[in-house]
Amino acid sequence: MARLPIKCYLYSEKNKITVIVLKTEKSRIDAVDALRGFAVMAILLVHSLEHFIFPVYPASSPAWLAALDEGVFAVVFALFAGKAYAIFALLFGFTFHLQYASRQSRGEDFGGRFLWRLLLLVGFATLNAAFFPAGDVLLLFSLVGVVLFAVRRLNDRTVLALALLFLVQPVEWYHCFRALADPGFAPPDLGVGAMYGEVAAYTKAGDFWQFVAGNVTLGQKASLLWAVNAGRYSQTAGLFLLGLLLGRRGLFSDSADNARFWVRTLIVGAVAFVPLQALHGLFGEATAARMAATVLDMWQKLAFTAVLAASFVLLYRTARFRRVTDGLRFYGRMSLTNYIAQSVVGALIFFPFGLGLASRCGYALSLVIGVAVFVLQAAFCRWWLRGPRPGALYPPGTAGKSLAPSDVAGREVMRNVLFRSFLPIVGAEEAQCGINN
């Protein structure tokens, strides 16, 4: 963990500014920041291959490039598709615990403030959706997040039981058994395919304002209804609650007992993944079979998510892995900023109102673009966060010293103003910061 200043007083005397830091405390869990950064990076790579849900690709490619594209697609989607989102959801619940526990330690209830933050999250979801035609998962998070508010005072056993109930995917199993009993039964057609057809049409038209208006209305509606068909509401709620439990149990802290927990998680996830992966592709097209296949697909992705998260946490205990992945720590601390910026940059690169490169980029080149965007974002995050930490106007080493205002770099002041102003509102990037919770 890093030590961050949490109190300071500023005195001005004869055009001098004195900074006195009175107290520091351990405020962040680096492994969680890095894991969150890993998840956001993985989301970027998947979205880059998908051209940010704009499926236009080169009409033809040389045989070697077509083979490379297929390999890139297979590897990236096998590793990250459906798993990066799950890690992101897990850490959403974990962050809620930290914020709730911080308020509770002061005799306050975080519930009302959390509901307000969920409402603000709708605003950020709308901003992101404006550049992302498939709708935004943050809107789903803002709706399902009410579950965390509802269970905040329940004991661990009850929360675990509810988490398992959600992860079983009860709605899909109901549809499955209903279809077995009545072969004529079919879940209601929500028209998602037709909606996405309209989204694709106005995206190809290249009218920016039509694109934005359609995304924040029809695109968001299609996304929420797609989540119904995909079982995402139930799974997201379950992941939120598991993250809450990880926080309550302190399982991201670096200890031998926690290492054993993550080893067990890795083994169970790996053992469960193999049969689930084999089974989920064996079902036919009948309604009952499709419902069962949906559940098994979500379970196998959940099992692999456990493998990814456990492997990352265990590797992060080693100094070499921490050095190699150091950039992810900064990247994860600015997760919301990076997530939204990805959509803006991706739209400008691939969509017709921007550079329109979608028709020229196969999967391999799209991956290169995604990696380049990540590298630039990560470099910016490192530069931004290397300055003063929350609660301190100036970088480490200036505490107690008198500085002329002319010596204060403008970017340092700007960093602090933005950090202090927006983090208490957003909540998503506060992560483990206990100052504003």
Side-chain angles (χ1 to χ4, degrees):
M1 297 185 188
R3 285 187 175 270
L4 306 180
I6 67 169
K7 288 185 180 180
C8 69
Y9 292 91
L10 305 180
Y11 297 96
S12 178
E13 180 181 358
K14 294 182 180 179
N15 296 321
K16 300 283 186 176
I17 297 178
T18 301
V19 182
I20 303 175
V21 177
L22 297 181
K23 182 181 177 182
T24 62
E25 69 176 19
K26 290 184 177 180
S27 301
R28 304 194 71 90
I29 302 175
D30 288 342
V32 174
D33 283 336
L35 181 59
R36 183 182 284 107
F38 171 76
V40 178
M41 178 201 69
I43 290 172
L44 168 62
L45 298 183
V46 171
H47 285 171
S48 295
L49 264 63
E50 295 176 324
H51 293 172
F52 290 81
I53 319 301
F54 184 52
V56 175
Y57 297 91
S60 61
S61 300
W64 68 268
L65 184 55
L68 178 61
D69 283 341
E70 290 180 9
V72 166
F73 179 87
V75 171
V76 171
F77 270 69
L79 288 175
F80 302 137
K83 294 90 172 178
Y85 133 83
I87 294 174
F88 207 42
L90 195 73
L91 296 181
F92 189 92
F94 174 79
T95 299
F96 169 80
H97 160 73
L98 293 176
Q99 296 166 340
Y100 181 81
S102 177
R103 288 279 170 176
Q104 190 178 43
S105 67
R106 291 180 248 167
E108 303 172 11
D109 182 9
F110 180 63
R113 187 178 179 90
F114 179 66
L115 292 178
W116 168 241
R117 289 184 177 183
L118 291 180
L119 183 61
L120 291 171
L121 193 60
V122 174
F124 285 100
T126 303
L127 173 62
N128 191 63
F131 295 89
F132 192 73
D136 185 64
V137 73
L138 295 179
L139 183 58
L140 175 66
F141 280 20
S142 67
L143 297 175
V144 180
V146 176
V147 172
L148 290 168
F149 170 81
V151 306
R152 67 193 189 283
R153 294 193 180 98
L154 299 182
N155 61 47
D156 289 358
R157 288 186 179 182
T158 304
V159 172
L160 178 60
L162 289 172
L164 294 177
L165 175 63
F166 284 126
L167 293 173
V168 165
Q169 304 293 146
V171 174
E172 284 66 38
W173 284 120
Y174 166 76
H175 287 158
C176 178
F177 290 117
R178 174 82 182 274
L180 288 174
D182 178 8
F185 169 78
D189 182 3
L190 301 178
V192 175
M195 292 181 198
Y196 278 133
E198 291 184 47
V199 171
Y202 68 65
T203 302
K204 289 180 181 179
D207 185 309
F208 176 74
W209 294 113
Q210 182 186 21
F211 174 79
V212 171
N215 286 352
V216 300
T217 53
L218 182 63
Q220 289 284 59
K221 179 181 178 181
S223 175
L224 291 177
L225 293 178
W226 172 85
V228 173
N229 289 339
R232 281 286 180 93
Y233 286 86
S234 183
Q235 187 190 54
T236 301
L239 290 168
F240 282 0
L241 297 187
L242 287 184
L244 172 61
L245 289 173
L246 290 175
R248 286 184 176 182
R249 297 285 179 167
L251 291 170
F252 281 111
S253 299
D254 189 3
S255 71
D257 287 342
N258 287 347
R260 285 190 287 271
F261 165 82
W262 289 110
V263 168
R264 291 193 296 268
T265 299
L266 173 61
I267 293 171
V268 171
V271 170
F273 171 75
V274 175
L276 289 171
Q277 170 68 10
L279 286 173
H280 104 273
L282 299 179
F283 293 86
E285 292 300 317
T287 298
R290 285 190 292 107
M291 292 297 103
T294 297
V295 174
L296 291 177
D297 180 57
M298 300 194 81
W299 285 356
Q300 64 93 5
K301 289 176 179 175
L302 182 62
F304 198 77
T305 298
V307 172
L308 283 178
S311 299
F312 191 95
V313 173
L314 290 170
L315 287 170
Y316 203 81
R317 290 169 56 87
T318 66
R320 177 175 293 182
F321 188 77
R322 286 197 301 274
R323 285 195 300 271
V324 171
T325 61
D326 187 58
L328 290 175
R329 178 165 57 94
F330 299 97
Y331 197 67
R333 289 179 61 184
M334 296 180 63
S335 56
L336 183 62
T337 298
N338 290 321
Y339 178 72
I340 294 176
Q342 290 170 13
S343 298
V344 176
V345 173
L348 293 175
I349 291 173
F350 293 112
F351 293 167
F353 61 78
L355 297 177
L357 297 182
S359 62
R360 302 180 184 181
C361 298
Y363 293 128
L365 182 54
S366 299
L367 178 63
V368 172
I369 291 173
V371 171
V373 172
F374 164 72
V375 170
L376 291 174
Q377 283 190 312
F380 172 79
C381 293
R382 182 185 291 272
W383 170 81
W384 185 265
L385 294 173
R386 282 293 191 187
R389 300 301 187 256
L393 184 60
Y394 304 106
T398 62
K401 295 182 179 179
S402 295
L403 304 172
S406 59
D407 295 332
V408 181
R411 77 175 188 179
E412 310 296 353
V413 177
M414 183 172 64
R415 276 194 189 119
N416 184 68
V417 170
L418 290 176
F419 211 100
R420 296 287 293 180
S421 298
F422 288 106
L423 291 189
I425 296 174
V426 176
E429 291 184 11
E430 281 181 55
Q432 292 74 49
C433 182
I435 302 163
N436 297 313
N437 292 341

